[in-house]
Amino acid sequence: MDAAAVLEKFRASGGRSFHTYPVGQVRDLYESGCAANGLSGDEISAVSDVVVDNFRVRIYDPQVVSGPTPVVLFFHGGGWVMGSLSTHDGLCRRLAALTGLPVVAVDYRLAPEHPYPAAIEDSRAALRWLFTSGDDHGLDITQAVLVGDSAGGQLAAVLAIENASAADSLPIAAQVLIYPMVDLTMSTPSYARVTEGFPLVADTIAWFADHYLPAGTDRTTPDVSPALAELPAGLPPAYVITVDNDPLVDEGAGFAGAMARAGTEVLYRHLPGYAHGLFTSAGRIPQGEKAINDIAGFIKHRTTA
C-alpha cells in the first residue's frame, strides 16, 4: 500500500489526531503537514490574490487560451476550522495545469472566530462574484465546476443544491466532492469504525462541528447536512470520491446514492485502504496524484462543448 509510509510516520510521531490540539496549533500542524506531503507547486502562468467582501480568493490562470472559459471554483478542507489557500495550493495548481482552466480557490473565514454560517455565506458570495465581477478577476466565465475537499465538499454540495433550486440559476457544469462532510448528525456506521490511529477520526469531526456550529444549531438543515436535503431536479453531474479509513465514508457513499436516485448523473469512486487526507498527501502517496489526474479528466469532459 503506497500510503503506508505516511501513516507509519504519523503513528511513530505519537499518532495524535487533529482534535487533540488547540486550534492555533492544529492550524500550524495542518499547514506544515500539507507542505511536507502535498504536491509540489506546478508553474502556472498567472497567480493572483483578490479580496472579495471579507475574504480572499486566489486565481490560478494557466492562460492556455484567451476568451470565454469554464472555471473551477475550489473550496478547501479542514473542518471549517483549519486550512487555507496555502494548504491546497499544490492541488489547485495541478488542477489548473491538467485541465487548462482557471482555478479560483476560496479562502473562506474559519471557525471558531467566524462560526456558521460564515463559511457558506462566503462560498455563496464567491460564486456570485465569479459570475458578476469580470472587471475584478479578468475572466470571461461561461460555466463553473464546483470542487470541494472534505468540509469544502459540504460547501460545494450546498451551493449545487441551492443553485439547482434557484429561479435564476447559474451555469454550473459539474460538482466534484472529495470525501465530503455532508451529514453533521454523525449517525452513519463508519463513525463507530474509525475512532483512532489516523489524523482524522470520529471525535475529530465532532470537534470540528462543535467549533463551527453555534450551540442549538439544527444539524439537519440543508446548508449544514446536504445529505439530508430534499434534492431538486437539475443537479449538475457529480463525481464523488470516498476512502476506506474515514468516518465520512458512509455519508459520502449515501449522498452519491441519493443524488443518483434523484436523477443526477453520478460517478462514484471508492478507494479502499486509504485514509482521509489522501489528496493533501498526494506528493507522498501516488494514488492521491493519480486520483487528481482522474478528477481533471472528469472536469475536462464536463466542460468540453
Side-chain angles (χ1 to χ4, degrees):
M1 175 65 68
D2 58 2
V6 173
L7 184 59
E8 287 168 3
K9 183 177 180 180
F10 164 73
R11 291 176 176 172
S13 68
R16 289 180 62 183
S17 300
F18 290 132
H19 66 278
T20 64
Y21 295 93
V23 168
Q25 189 176 357
V26 79
R27 287 173 177 167
D28 291 343
L29 288 169
Y30 190 52
E31 292 280 344
S32 60
C34 291
N37 297 319
L39 292 170
S40 58
D42 295 48
E43 289 295 325
I44 301 297
S45 298
V47 179
S48 58
D49 289 0
V50 180
V51 175
V52 180
D53 296 342
N54 297 316
F55 60 95
R56 291 183 303 156
V57 300
R58 178 168 294 168
I59 303 169
Y60 304 85
D61 187 358
Q63 298 183 341
V64 175
V65 294
S66 58
T69 181
V71 67
V72 175
L73 187 62
F74 182 86
F75 305 96
H76 69 75
W80 312 279
V81 171
M82 59 188 191
S84 67
L85 296 176
S86 298
T87 55
H88 292 66
D89 181 75
L91 173 53
C92 289
R93 286 175 178 271
R94 181 61 55 87
L95 287 176
L98 290 174
T99 63
L101 301 177
V103 174
V104 177
V106 181
D107 194 23
Y108 54 86
R109 291 170 294 164
L110 298 178
E113 297 90 338
H114 304 283
Y116 167 85
I120 187 58
E121 287 178 343
D122 292 353
S123 300
R124 292 181 185 121
L127 180 60
R128 289 193 301 271
W129 174 84
L130 197 64
F131 281 97
T132 60
S133 300
D135 290 344
D136 291 342
H137 52 61
L139 301 171
D140 181 4
I141 297 169
T142 58
Q143 55 187 344
V145 176
L146 306 177
V147 180
D149 158 44
S150 191
Q154 181 244 29
L155 299 171
V158 169
L159 291 183
I161 292 169
E162 292 181 346
N163 187 70
S165 304
D168 55 346
S169 61
L170 298 168
I172 295 179
Q175 54 181 317
V176 179
L177 311 179
I178 301 169
Y179 32 64
M181 194 181 300
V182 287
D183 180 0
L184 284 184
T185 66
M186 296 182 288
S187 54
T188 54
S190 50
Y191 279 89
R193 183 172 59 82
V194 185
T195 60
E196 60 182 357
F198 300 94
L200 187 142
V201 294
D203 285 346
T204 311
I205 306 298
W207 186 80
F208 284 152
D210 288 345
H211 280 75
Y212 177 54
L213 299 174
T217 302
D218 182 357
R219 298 190 177 198
T220 68
T221 59
D223 66 349
V224 172
S225 295
L228 306 181
E230 184 175 344
L231 299 178
L235 281 174
Y239 186 9
V240 181
I241 304 164
T242 58
V243 291
D244 226 11
N245 299 307
D246 185 356
L248 305 176
V249 59
D250 288 347
E251 66 200 69
F255 188 48
M259 286 193 289
R261 289 190 295 273
T264 307
E265 186 176 345
V266 177
L267 174 60
Y268 172 63
R269 186 173 185 201
H270 177 67
L271 299 174
Y274 291 93
H276 197 100
L278 171 65
F279 286 78
T280 46
S281 299
R284 297 286 182 270
I285 304 175
Q287 178 60 67
E289 188 169 18
K290 180 179 183 302
I292 293 168
N293 292 345
D294 293 341
I295 288 172
F298 173 82
I299 292 171
K300 290 178 69 175
H301 174 67
R302 288 297 168 189
T303 54
T304 301

